[in-house]
Structure formats: C-alpha cells, structure tokens
Amino acid sequence: MILRIKIMNKRRSIPVAALALFLLASLPVRATIASDESEVRGVVQMIFEQLKTEQYDKLYDSLPAASRSKVSRERFVDSLRRASGLYHLDRMEIGAVRVSGNLAAVDTVMYGSVERPVQAEGKIVAQQYLVREDGRWRVATGDRATVQRFLAANPTFAKKFQIRQPRVYTKQNGRWVDITPLLRQARRSG
C-alpha cells in the first residue's frame, strides 16, 4: 500500500515538474516581450513629446531609413513647421501595444486643439506603427509604403493587426463628432 502511494505521487509530480520547468524556461521570453512593449511605449511617448514641443529635427531621426530616403530633413522640418500653427497638442493616451519581432502597433489617442481655420477641441485616434532598425524602434506611421512592406514580411502580424486609418474628432455641443469624412472630402476636392 505504501509503495502504491509513492508511485502515484511520483506520477503526479512528473507533470507538475514539467509544468514548472516550462514556466521557468518561458520567463526570459515573457520578460523580453514585456521589455519590448515597454520600450515601444516609451518611444511613442518620446515622439509625441518631440512633436508637441516642435523638436522636428529630432523627430526626423526617429523615422525609418526608407522614410528618410524619401524626404530630406529640411523638407520634413519645414512641412511640420508650416502645419504647427494649425493645431496644439496637449496630451496622449497610449492603449494596447503589440510587438512581433521587428514590428509593433500601438493604439493612441492624441488630444489637443485646432487653431485654424476654426478653434475647436480635437482628438486623433490613430494606430502607430514602429519598426526596429539597427536595434532602435522607429516610427513608420506616416509612411504607408514602409508599413505595408513590413506587414507583407510579417503576414501573421498583418492578419491580426490590419492598418486602421486615423480618425479625427472635434468636440461639438459636448460630444465628439467624427470629421474624418469631411477632411477626406476636402482633400479630394482641394
């Protein structure tokens, strides 16, 4: 009887030991994922602060090489300076962060105010895309071609996190109203 109990305990302890070994072995992977997500979150916050404080020259350095090859630093900085009088950024909320290899998607909501052509409180709901190049996370959100290329190279990630176009809202009568269709229409006709 005692021998039978010892054998049964050994049978139960083998699966428990295997589970414990699996959990221990997966800790570095889990720590790496959490570390990547934390790093990506930090980069997105840094980029927002650079945009908010009009540090456009530093912002240029955060672009992927493919984006930098398409536009010069001077042209990039000048276009952002011209647009800076149209809005004022206040704060940003960072939502879900998803990392897969050298690609990350981050849900964000940026709050601020529109200064011209009319004054209004506004927000932009956008998905930020980042790519890791040379060990650094770089923001590829505005460059659809770069994002598409990285998504094509990572089909599993692309299926789970398809590109979502930004949505722009203004506050009217205490409610957020989506003005994205109006902006698209104005771009087409203008």
Side-chain angles (χ1 to χ4, degrees):
M1 181 78 159
I2 293 174
L3 180 60
R4 186 174 176 200
I5 291 171
K6 285 184 182 178
I7 292 172
M8 288 178 66
N9 284 341
K10 283 185 182 180
R11 286 183 190 157
R12 287 185 192 153
S13 65
I14 291 172
V16 171
L19 178 62
L21 286 174
F22 172 75
L23 290 174
L24 284 174
S26 70
L27 281 178
V29 172
R30 291 177 189 194
T32 300
I33 291 169
S35 173
D36 282 347
E37 289 177 3
S38 177
E39 187 178 348
V40 166
R41 187 178 292 276
V43 169
V44 168
Q45 186 64 49
M46 179 191 70
I47 297 299
F48 176 78
E49 291 301 323
Q50 289 173 341
L51 188 58
K52 180 179 170 183
T53 58
E54 300 179 8
Q55 297 177 35
Y56 305 134
D57 202 46
K58 289 182 181 179
L59 200 55
Y60 182 82
D61 294 329
S62 299
L63 299 175
S67 300
R68 291 191 314 268
S69 71
K70 292 177 186 174
V71 63
S72 70
R73 180 183 301 271
E74 294 76 24
R75 187 171 158 214
F76 177 82
V77 170
D78 287 345
S79 68
L80 287 175
R81 281 194 181 126
R82 283 193 306 274
S84 68
L86 301 175
Y87 61 88
H88 173 76
L89 294 173
D90 293 325
R91 63 187 172 89
M92 178 178 60
E93 294 174 356
I94 299 175
V97 176
R98 294 166 297 280
V99 178
S100 178
N102 291 326
L103 188 62
V106 182
D107 295 332
T108 62
V109 181
M110 294 172 276
Y111 296 90
S113 56
V114 178
E115 304 296 327
R116 290 186 284 159
V118 295
Q119 289 187 335
E121 192 175 347
K123 74 176 180 179
I124 301 170
V125 177
Q127 196 172 51
Q128 309 296 328
Y129 279 90
L130 292 86
V131 295
R132 189 175 5 220
E133 285 182 344
D134 302 322
R136 277 187 63 199
W137 286 104
R138 299 181 181 275
V139 178
T141 302
D143 186 349
R144 283 186 66 86
T146 298
V147 172
Q148 291 286 7
R149 190 177 81 245
F150 279 96
L151 290 176
N154 298 282
T156 304
F157 189 83
K159 284 180 187 176
K160 290 164 68 176
F161 309 108
Q162 296 171 355
I163 293 177
R164 288 190 316 236
Q165 294 301 311
R167 308 295 298 179
V168 180
Y169 299 83
T170 59
K171 196 166 248 187
Q172 298 174 8
N173 299 322
R175 296 179 61 201
W176 289 110
V177 176
D178 186 353
I179 63 165
T180 307
L182 295 173
L183 294 173
R184 287 185 185 143
Q185 184 180 15
R187 255 189 247 137
R188 280 186 227 127
S189 64

